[in-house]
Amino acid sequence: MGVALLDLVETALRVAKQALGNRAGKPDSGGLAREAHIVAHCIRKEEGHTYAELVDRLSLMPAVCDRLGINPDAPPDPTTFYHSFDRYAMYI
């Protein structure tokens, strides 16, 4: 299961960067890279979690957090992912 999830993360990360084009990377205001938000949503949908469960699960997956640039000891608030989906839906 762990390898399949890492494969999903790698594939989704590549596709998200392609979809975002020049919008990929960290926003000017700081925070997570835009593609990391999209990959987090892919993980959430694949595993059927709520936003709060997603944050809890991410804190237990250091390899995924490392790839997405998330500190597993201080994961983002669930509302961060919730609101990001509204912002990036038009690009995907």
Side-chain angles (χ1 to χ4, degrees):
M1 166 119 170
V3 174
L5 183 61
L6 286 176
D7 288 342
L8 170 73
V9 168
E10 290 295 329
T11 302
L13 197 55
R14 182 177 39 80
V15 171
K17 285 180 182 179
Q18 288 174 351
L20 289 169
N22 62 356
R23 294 182 185 96
K26 289 194 175 211
D28 293 334
S29 60
L32 291 176
R34 292 173 176 100
E35 58 270 13
H37 286 274
I38 294 170
V39 174
H41 286 293
C42 292
I43 294 169
R44 185 183 72 83
K45 294 300 278 183
E46 177 68 22
E47 295 191 347
H49 297 305
T50 65
Y51 291 100
E53 291 170 335
L54 169 66
V55 171
D56 289 341
R57 297 284 294 161
L58 284 174
S59 65
L60 300 173
M61 299 184 283
V64 173
C65 287
D66 183 51
R67 188 64 185 106
L68 297 180
I70 297 172
N71 181 353
D73 297 328
D77 191 77
T79 58
T80 302
F81 293 116
Y82 177 78
H83 293 296
S84 72
F85 193 66
D86 292 336
R87 284 194 309 267
Y88 301 131
M90 69 179 116
Y91 300 136
I92 302 171

